Amino acid sequence: MANVKRSAHPHVKYTVADSLVRYAEYLEYGDVHIKVDKKTGLRAIVAIHNLNRGPAIGGCRIATYETVDRAIEDALRLGYMMSYKAAINNLPHGGAKAVIIKPKVIKDREALFEKFGEFVNDLGGRYLTAVDSGTSPADMDIISRRTPFVTCTTKLGGDSDPSPLTAFGVRRAIEASVKFKLGQESLEGIHVAIQGAGHVGYYLAKELHERGAKLTMTDINQVSLQRCVEEFGASVCAPDDIYHVEADVFAPCALGAVLNLRTINQLRVPIVAGSANNQLSHSHYGTLMHERGILYSPDFLINAGGLIHVAVCYAHGDMKNSVDQIDHIYNTVYDIYERSQHEDVATNVIAERIAKERLG
């Protein structure tokens, strides 16, 4: 039986399903598909947000969820953001996300992903699946036995780590930011405070170090942090102190929702540009930074290197083409900065407007 919650009106009741439908409507969703297969243990959701620009593209994650509604909510939220990433970077795709609710015991992983491949194939090319949290190129190879609508297979270069490509896009955005805000063409001597020394944080530090930037970094993983100290000469600080660092750029490359009233008030930088998803705990904090003269580089634009790569490789199988398109993030973000300045509107608002216009 569905859980029933009471609304502010005592005579009105609504279910979890009602809430999810309202959430999908709010995000302007196209459709949501659910597949259940008792034999393999597959319980999967594919949330297709928008098809106006072309087939929806987005990763397939397999994860443990407390409830099915949490899994559906996750798919809806992530698929919506994929549409924005694809649109702002002018890819011929809508956005989607697939979620497989991880069984307590996976009896046969190949059978599970073959069945998921059949699910994707039944959608008739409206959804292209890819690697995400908990899945691998080997899983994509299994899916490809049942459908051609899959990327990130070993044949398409899925064995390569997308983190360097994501870091490359963020570095190009930082270069555009430094030119626009500070009037400097190079990163020589630019001080960047990086929050997170994991996959993308590490490669971003490498890119910046090679171009003469000074680094201050933090991470709860001391091994990852020490690697950056040894290889790039990075200074370190405690996690909570990263917001106080006086630098040219703050680069959030770890958790989302780190930019809120408290942390923004602590910032001592003129630029914020990093790889983390959903950095703003609320969209109006972009306006707050704009009012305080902090240039914010919209996360869903500049961290899309991995998405651009898988989309371009699916269409052309061409690594150079994907790198060229990721490089174009520089021009896209610089144009947004100019429009933001001209209209006196926050950069994230401008970016969201462009994405919505392109989604139709």
Side-chain angles (χ1 to χ4, degrees), residues 9-281:
H9 304 283
H11 302 297
V12 178
K13 297 180 180 180
Y14 63 89
T15 66
V16 168
D18 292 329
S19 297
L20 289 170
V21 169
R22 281 201 296 272
Y23 186 44
E25 289 174 341
Y26 170 74
L27 296 179
E28 299 182 337
Y29 251 85
D31 47 305
V32 181
H33 303 265
I34 297 174
K35 176 71 173 181
V36 178
D37 182 70
K38 188 174 181 180
K39 184 178 180 180
T40 60
L42 178 69
R43 291 191 296 166
I45 302 105
V46 172
I48 299 175
H49 178 254
N50 190 290
L51 293 167
N52 290 345
R53 295 182 58 82
I57 190 169
C60 168
R61 62 176 47 189
I62 181 167
T64 302
Y65 291 90
E66 292 180 4
T67 59
V68 173
D69 56 286
R70 293 293 186 193
I72 296 173
E73 183 181 7
D74 201 26
L76 291 172
R77 176 179 59 83
L78 294 166
Y80 163 80
M81 189 52 63
M82 293 301 291
S83 274
Y84 273 54
K85 285 190 181 191
I88 196 66
N89 286 287
N90 221 19
L91 296 174
H93 293 286
K97 185 65 71 170
V99 167
I100 297 175
I101 301 172
K102 189 175 183 179
K104 290 182 179 179
V105 177
I106 301 178
K107 297 178 181 178
D108 187 334
R109 191 176 182 96
E110 287 195 26
L112 182 79
F113 279 98
E114 282 188 353
K115 183 58 66 173
F116 177 74
E118 292 175 11
F119 179 26
V120 171
N121 202 60
D122 288 344
L123 297 175
R126 298 165 70 242
Y127 166 58
L128 307 177
T129 196
V131 165
D132 204 306
S133 301
T135 60
S136 68
D139 295 323
M140 298 304 111
D141 287 347
I142 296 168
I143 292 169
S144 71
R145 298 173 189 169
R146 295 290 184 264
T147 183
F149 307 120
V150 55
T151 185
C152 297
T153 61
T154 54
K155 183 179 179 180
L156 290 174
D159 279 338
S160 60
D161 182 359
S163 299
L165 295 166
T166 301
F168 170 54
V170 175
R171 188 259 293 175
R172 291 296 282 148
I174 290 175
E175 287 175 324
S177 305
V178 167
K179 180 180 178 181
F180 183 85
K181 187 72 174 179
L182 306 179
Q184 182 170 319
E185 293 284 349
S186 76
L187 295 178
E188 185 70 36
I190 292 295
H191 185 185
V192 183
I194 303 178
Q195 182 185 51
H199 290 296
V200 179
Y202 167 80
Y203 285 109
L204 178 61
K206 184 175 186 290
E207 293 251 356
L208 297 173
H209 173 70
E210 289 173 350
R211 287 155 184 83
K214 174 185 175 183
L215 306 175
T216 298
M217 301 183 69
T218 192
D219 198 295
I220 58 173
N221 186 322
Q222 293 302 308
V223 174
S224 297
L225 196 58
Q226 186 60 33
R227 182 186 183 190
C228 293
V229 171
E230 294 173 358
E231 294 187 24
F232 314 129
S235 300
V236 301
C237 68
D240 288 341
D241 291 340
I242 195 71
Y243 304 106
H244 301 276
V245 174
E246 188 171 354
D248 298 301
V249 182
F250 171 52
C253 296
L255 300 175
V258 297
L259 295 171
N260 52 48
L261 184 59
R262 178 182 63 84
T263 58
I264 291 170
N265 282 334
Q266 295 173 354
L267 291 177
R268 303 175 68 189
V269 295
I271 297 166
V272 174
S275 66
N277 284 309
N278 304 314
Q279 294 166 25
L280 301 173
S281 61

Side-chain angles (χ1 to χ4, degrees), residues 340-357:
S340 170
Q341 183 181 63
H342 177 71
E343 298 181 19
D344 194 20
V345 174
T347 53
N348 64 302
V349 174
I350 296 293
E352 288 169 12
R353 281 182 188 171
I354 293 171
K356 285 181 179 179
E357 289 167 2

